[in-house]
Amino acid sequence: MDLKELRTQIDAIDSQLTELFCRRMDVSEKIGEYKKENGLPVFDEMREKERTEAVRAGCPERYKDAVTALYKEIFRLSRDVQKKKCGLLGEKLSHSYSPLIHSKLADYKYVLYEKSREEVEKFLKSGDWDGLNVTIPYKKTVMQYCGEISERAKRIGSVNTLVKRPDGSIFGDNTDAFGFELLVKKLGVAAAGKKALILGSGGACAAVKAVLEELGVSELVVISRTGSDNYRNISRHYDAQIIVNTTPLGTYPNNGTAAVDLKPFTKCEAVIDLVYNPARTALVMQAEQLGIPCTGGLYMLTAQARRSSELFTGSKIEAGRIDEITAELRDSMENIVLIGMPGCGKTTVGKALSKLSGKKLYDTDELIEKEIGISIPEFFEKNGEQAFREIESRIISEISRLSGAIIATGGGAVTRRENYPLLHQNSRIVWLKRDLNLLPIDGRPVSKSRPAEELYSERRPLYEAFSDYEVNNSGSPEETAKAILEAVK
């Protein structure tokens, strides 16, 4: 028998296998529907073990391991079709963190459903889904398709969570309100009797407004671009004690903008920005500078996801999971920035840190040299330090918008104060320290021109002001990288 004939046999067997596999998956779906209706778990460990032993017993010894591996994958695929199908419904969702958060909360599929306005009705009525979160611009649109809406969502006038019931009807709720309420309590804001200012009248505003009213604020003002209370006459409300930003201003990739300047709000006691990427918006960073208690929106995002997950599954989730998942997200989202004297090992340690953490390394000096087309010492000689610092600040501005990266800066990056908010907005900044006697000066124009002790004396206060952590680079690059990861956690 030649190769062509053998392949013909293989092809025929593959056709039979495909037909049988599809039939098996059809039955798996029916089993999944039965489990949903009767509240049974998708994963039945004992059943899978029994079936694995049975199929192993029915095949030759030389194929037993292969058959075990095959059925392990078949069982995984069968579980996937039996899982609840959940997701996020919206218009533009590519930067959403929801799939990552929900993967940590429960065992169901979570898909991003980007739909146009024309597609929403058909998807809600006949789409293959069990639970949905809803975001811009459909939080009000979906209400007309709900058979029942929670009392809180009715008061708010928008829905961001949908659950399809066994009879096909849709239940709507607003978990944004749940998440915002926990965020307020997490920050320790005493809202009762206070004047609150909400920036923005979009989708999130309604939930924020409802919660603040429930918490007993004495006065509540919504600032919009065109309403009677707007940014042109906002000075009437400089006595606000709580400020909540519900606008997208400052969201990645448009980092650095803010709806208001906080300086005139001399009575402000708390600032909450619902934006969560970057970790610290311009509004949050100004609040930090002014000593006002403040927070971004990541905790709220996780908290509302937890409540949505409970509605999807009908099972309670430990409240502590909000803190755990928020911390995990911060670890993965925030950059680690290395600052320190020229030659202290930022690039070398950065490479070890990148390998250990899985985060990509960006070296600002390398990026500058790639742009200018010559070495940094040559550029210094031809154009001077001022011209170099301007390019360096622009590179830092671009690279610091990223999330989940390692950024190794030049030794003099701290000499420009404007570089601090750029680096701080989405990063944990580590001052890498090393014995001055071990610092090389070759290829480092500033270090060559001045004694290390003099340069260090000048820059030490700047490194201290910029840094969140200090780590000594006295061992191997790998040891230092491990010490940095321990410090930032």
Side-chain angles (χ1 to χ4, degrees):
M1 188 176 292
D2 62 17
L3 181 60
K4 185 177 180 180
E5 291 173 316
L6 290 170
R7 283 179 171 169
T8 299
Q9 287 186 25
I10 282 283
D11 291 347
I13 293 169
D14 283 343
S15 295
Q16 294 173 34
L17 286 173
T18 301
E19 181 184 351
L20 288 169
F21 176 75
C22 291
R23 285 169 57 189
R24 189 186 197 285
M25 296 302 281
D26 285 342
V27 175
S28 289
E29 281 190 329
K30 292 176 183 176
I31 291 172
E33 291 169 5
Y34 180 89
K35 287 178 176 178
K36 285 178 190 176
E37 291 172 3
N38 292 275
L40 298 173
V42 169
F43 181 44
D44 187 338
E45 185 177 10
M46 187 60 69
R47 163 74 178 170
E48 291 189 10
K49 282 183 178 180
E50 289 174 354
R51 289 308 304 149
T52 301
E53 291 172 4
V55 295
R56 280 177 61 90
C59 70
E61 187 66 34
R62 65 183 185 278
Y63 297 139
K64 287 187 185 296
D65 289 344
V67 164
T68 300
L70 172 64
Y71 270 84
K72 182 179 180 180
E73 183 64 14
I74 287 174
F75 291 147
R76 184 190 68 79
L77 293 169
S78 296
R79 289 197 300 272
D80 277 350
V81 301
Q82 292 179 14
K83 289 178 182 177
K84 285 181 178 289
K85 297 175 180 67
C86 303
L88 177 63
L89 172 64
E91 202 168 49
K92 296 177 181 178
L93 307 173
S94 59
H95 295 296
S96 174
Y97 287 101
S98 292
L100 177 60
I101 296 172
H102 281 269
S103 71
K104 299 174 183 294
L105 287 167
D107 188 23
Y108 45 70
K109 285 186 177 181
Y110 196 90
V111 180
L112 298 178
Y113 296 108
E114 289 191 350
K115 302 293 179 182
S116 67
R117 289 187 180 275
E118 295 73 26
E119 296 173 311
V120 170
E121 180 176 1
K122 182 179 178 181
F123 176 70
L124 290 176
K125 288 182 176 180
S126 57
D128 186 18
W129 61 272
D130 297 295
L132 293 174
N133 289 126
V134 184
T135 189
I136 298 171
Y138 302 132
K139 292 185 179 183
K140 294 184 184 294
T141 303
V142 300
M143 294 181 75
Q144 61 188 297
Y145 305 107
C146 295
E148 183 185 353
I149 297 175
S150 72
E151 289 303 315
R152 197 178 210 186
K154 285 179 185 176
R155 289 198 306 275
I156 293 168
S158 72
V159 162
N160 82 316
T161 302
L162 301 175
V163 176
K164 187 184 290 183
R165 289 170 165 166
D167 64 0
S169 65
I170 298 174
F171 170 73
D173 203 349
N174 193 304
T175 58
D176 281 341
F178 176 86
F180 181 70
E181 183 177 4
L182 289 192
L183 180 64
V184 171
K185 292 176 180 177
K186 180 77 173 175
L187 185 59
V189 179
K194 303 290 176 62
K195 178 175 180 176
L197 200 65
I198 301 176
L199 307 176
S201 56
C205 170
V208 170
K209 185 173 182 288
V211 170
L212 290 175
E213 287 173 344
E214 291 170 6
L215 293 175
V217 294
S218 60
E219 185 179 354
L220 186 56
V221 179
V222 176
I223 303 294
S224 64
R225 286 175 292 182
T226 57
S228 58
D229 289 298
N230 54 66
Y231 295 99
R232 294 182 299 279
N233 59 31
I234 197 171
S235 59
R236 299 187 303 185
H237 306 293
Y238 281 163
D239 59 340
Q241 294 156 291
I242 299 170
I243 297 176
V244 183
N245 176 50
T246 68
T247 76
L249 283 171
T251 306
Y252 173 87
N254 301 310
N255 306 38
T257 57
V260 295
D261 178 4
L262 293 174
K263 290 190 186 75
F265 294 91
T266 55
K267 294 184 179 181
C268 187
E269 300 173 10
V271 171
I272 298 173
D273 195 334
L274 301 194
V275 173
Y276 55 85
N277 184 12
R280 301 167 198 86
T281 60
L283 187 70
V284 166
M285 287 193 289
Q286 188 183 27
E288 287 180 344
Q289 292 168 2
L290 296 172
I292 303 170
C294 57
T295 183
L298 186 60
Y299 186 86
M300 173 180 167
L301 181 71
T302 308
Q304 72 83 21
R306 172 208 164 203
R307 180 58 188 145
S308 295
S309 185
E310 291 180 334
L311 291 171
F312 295 160
T313 62
S315 302
K316 295 293 291 181
I317 298 173
E318 290 287 335
R321 288 295 290 146
I322 300 174
D323 290 298
E324 292 170 6
I325 294 172
T326 302
E328 289 173 22
L329 287 172
R330 284 207 177 100
D331 281 341
S332 64
M333 289 168 61
E334 290 192 35
N335 306 315
I336 298 175
V337 172
L338 303 179
I339 61 172
M341 285 284 285
C344 70
K346 296 183 293 291
T347 299
T348 303
V349 171
K351 289 176 181 177
L353 193 56
S354 174
K355 187 175 181 180
L356 195 61
S357 67
K359 297 185 176 188
K360 186 174 180 179
L361 171 65
Y362 295 88
D363 187 303
T364 59
D365 281 352
E366 288 182 5
L367 292 171
I368 292 168
E369 287 191 338
K370 185 177 180 180
E371 179 173 315
I372 62 181
I374 56 176
S375 70
I376 288 175
E378 288 178 276
F379 187 89
F380 258 76
E381 188 174 338
K382 291 180 179 180
N383 303 284
E385 183 175 356
Q386 181 67 20
F388 173 80
R389 296 299 173 203
E390 289 175 3
I391 296 173
E392 181 180 53
S393 290
R394 181 166 50 76
I395 292 292
I396 287 174
S397 176
E398 293 168 4
I399 211 69
S400 61
R401 295 169 189 251
L402 298 175
S403 295
I406 307 296
I407 301 173
T409 64
V414 296
T415 60
R416 281 203 164 197
R417 186 64 191 174
E418 60 263 39
N419 290 340
Y420 176 72
L422 298 174
L423 294 171
H424 180 59
Q425 65 181 329
N426 217 23
S427 306
R428 305 171 192 196
I429 304 175
V430 179
W431 176 13
L432 199 60
K433 305 174 77 172
R434 196 174 191 188
D435 188 330
L436 296 182
N437 295 319
L438 300 177
L439 302 182
I441 61 172
D442 290 343
R444 295 176 170 85
V446 177
S447 297
K448 271 188 173 182
S449 64
R450 302 170 63 187
E453 292 80 3
E454 181 184 320
L455 189 63
Y456 180 71
S457 177
E458 179 184 291
R459 290 183 177 175
R460 178 177 177 173
L462 301 176
Y463 292 135
E464 289 176 341
F466 268 62
S467 61
D468 300 306
Y469 311 92
E470 298 177 14
V471 174
N472 285 311
N473 183 20
S474 54
S476 69
E478 291 73 23
E479 289 170 337
T480 303
K482 287 179 182 178
I484 289 171
L485 288 181
E486 285 299 317
V488 300
K489 285 183 179 180

